[in-house]
């Protein structure tokens, strides 16, 4: 879709129409772009703060949560989150039929985002839902293999990626977008499905490349790339059990269990529990934060 900077009410209404269209067509999980409710190219932190909202009572949060509840689906979408104490986050909300499930705050800020947002502080949570274990990342997070590895290590089934991909300098004319290459590699090397929803259009001179993509756990596209300049909805069927089996390449090799824990820390030094532990501390810290 093409959000319009500052036109939050109209943007949210547009998302609701697209969400309903997807749900009528059978979608159980809908992923929206990064900052889908506000637009992206803020001129100042003050402008972004004026459009941000709290997870607990924000208008966008209520709209998406009501849609998830009435349609019986799950929704992941990017918002500008006011986190209290003057803090501002480029965030993603996960809502389901039961209400708000959790929040993710972008860890890796891109370019002028450093002037606008605070760095995410909720880690990389994975959320148990009725359709599988869901996680979120946002745009530039996908350039860091640690993000996908830590989510896969926590047994995520599907990683939802609200994004605002921009052109990468030096791309050969007939090459796939770098974002696609990174996403396919991450899906293959971690055995996870990744759903990337990008925006289209040009906002305050910044072009966006569109080309949303759904990648299966074997690393191959299930749907897309979408158009570079037209709104559309991509659909793909993801079978959780088949996706988990995709992590096993042959009788000897399984991409996550083959990790050499004797050489490097399987959780990359975070201290987070493996999925076999009783609970995941990072998921608990997120649920505490989002219930305030």
């Amino acid at each position: 879709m093409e959000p319009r900077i500052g036109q939050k009410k109209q943007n949210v209404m547009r998302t609701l129409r697209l969400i309903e269209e997807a749900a009528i067509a059978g979608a159980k999980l809908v992923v929206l772009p990064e900052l889908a409710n506000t637009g992206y190219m803020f001129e100042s932190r003050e402008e972004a703060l004026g459009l941000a909202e709290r997870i607990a009572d924000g208008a966008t949060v209520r709209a998406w949560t009501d849609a998830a509840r009435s349609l019986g689906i799950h929704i992941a979408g990017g918002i500008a989150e006011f986190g209290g104490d003057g803090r501002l986050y480029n965030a993603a909300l996960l809502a389901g039929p039961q209400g708000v499930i959790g929040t993710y705050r972008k860890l890796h800020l891109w370019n002028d985002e450093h002037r606008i947002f605070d760095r995410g502080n909720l880690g990389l949570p994975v959320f148990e839902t009725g359709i599988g274990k869901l996680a979120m990342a946002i745009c530039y997070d996908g350039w860091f293999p640690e993000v996908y590895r830590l989510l896969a290590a926590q047994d995520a089934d599907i990683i939802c990626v609200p994004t605002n991909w921009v052109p990468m300098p030096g791309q050969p004319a007939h090459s796939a977008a770098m974002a696609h290459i990174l996403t396919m590699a991450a899906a293959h090397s971690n055995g996870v499905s990744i759903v990337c929803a990008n925006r289209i259009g040009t906002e305050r001179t910044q072009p966006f490349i569109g080309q949303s993509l759904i990648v299966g756990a074997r690393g191959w596209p299930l749907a897309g790339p979408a158009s570079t300049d037209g709104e559309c909805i991509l659909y793909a069927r993801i079978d959780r059990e088949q996706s988990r089996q995709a992590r096993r390449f042959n009788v000897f090799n399984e991409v996550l269990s083959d990790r050499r824990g004797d050489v490097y820390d399987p959780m990359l030094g975070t201290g987070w529990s493996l999925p076999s532990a009783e609970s995941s501390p990072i998921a608990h810290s997120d649920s505490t934060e989002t219930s305030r």
Side-chain angles (χ1 to χ4, degrees):
M1 60 175 288
E2 183 177 3
R4 305 289 179 146
I5 189 73
Q7 299 181 20
K8 190 160 74 167
K9 183 177 180 180
Q10 295 92 325
N11 292 336
V12 173
M13 290 301 297
R14 182 62 181 149
T15 68
L16 293 177
R17 288 193 290 271
L18 292 168
I19 289 166
E20 184 176 18
E21 180 182 343
I24 290 172
K28 297 300 182 184
L29 170 65
V30 176
V31 183
L32 302 166
E34 179 181 8
L35 297 171
N37 67 332
T38 61
Y40 181 81
M41 294 298 295
F42 301 114
E43 291 181 337
S44 66
R45 183 179 175 93
E46 289 68 33
E47 181 184 25
L49 280 168
L51 294 164
E53 54 190 74
R54 297 179 186 273
I55 297 298
D57 55 6
T60 303
V61 177
R62 290 197 305 272
W64 289 350
T65 302
D66 288 347
R69 185 179 291 112
S70 65
L71 296 168
I73 63 172
H74 291 75
I75 299 168
I79 65 169
E81 180 201 357
F82 180 67
D85 299 325
R87 293 189 173 274
L88 179 65
Y89 300 101
N90 184 338
L93 169 77
L94 180 63
Q98 70 274 50
V100 174
I101 296 172
T103 310
Y104 169 73
R105 292 170 176 167
K106 190 174 184 178
L107 295 179
H108 305 93
L109 302 181
W110 172 259
N111 203 3
D112 280 352
E113 288 180 43
H114 287 86
R115 297 190 301 105
I116 307 296
F117 296 106
D118 295 287
R119 292 192 300 174
N121 59 0
L122 296 179
L124 290 161
V126 174
F127 303 98
E128 287 269 11
T129 77
I131 59 172
K133 296 180 179 180
L134 304 183
M136 295 178 284
I138 299 175
C139 200
Y140 187 45
D141 288 326
W143 268 247
F144 297 84
E146 298 89 346
V147 168
Y148 290 120
R149 176 47 51 91
L150 284 170
L151 292 173
Q154 294 178 86
D155 216 20
D157 292 307
I158 302 172
I159 301 173
C160 306
V161 184
T163 187
N164 279 183
W165 290 329
V166 299
M168 288 286 106
Q171 178 178 338
H174 300 292
S175 173
M178 182 58 70
H180 294 169
I181 296 169
L182 293 170
T183 301
M184 291 169 63
H188 176 77
S189 60
N190 290 288
V192 293
S193 298
I194 304 176
V195 182
C196 301
N198 194 27
R199 62 161 292 165
I200 58 170
T202 297
E203 188 175 88
R204 290 178 173 167
T205 75
Q206 174 62 63
F208 299 91
I209 69 170
Q211 301 179 74
S212 298
L213 188 70
I214 303 174
V215 180
R218 296 190 185 277
W220 303 114
L222 300 177
S227 167
T228 60
D229 57 8
E231 287 192 338
C232 73
I233 301 175
L234 293 182
Y235 298 93
R237 183 179 299 277
I238 296 174
D239 184 303
R240 281 181 293 168
E241 293 307 315
Q242 286 183 3
S243 296
R244 291 167 183 166
Q245 292 169 13
R247 293 176 177 174
R248 177 162 295 283
F249 296 143
N250 54 55
V251 68
F252 295 106
N253 297 112
E254 200 273 355
V255 70
L256 293 182
S257 62
D258 282 348
R259 289 172 296 165
R260 286 288 301 274
D262 59 323
V263 177
Y264 49 81
D265 181 350
M267 297 305 286
L268 305 181
T270 60
W272 302 350
S273 299
L274 289 165
S276 57
E278 186 174 327
S279 63
S280 170
I282 196 64
H284 279 295
S285 71
D286 179 85
S287 61
T288 300
E289 179 73 24
T290 56
S291 65
R292 289 177 182 168

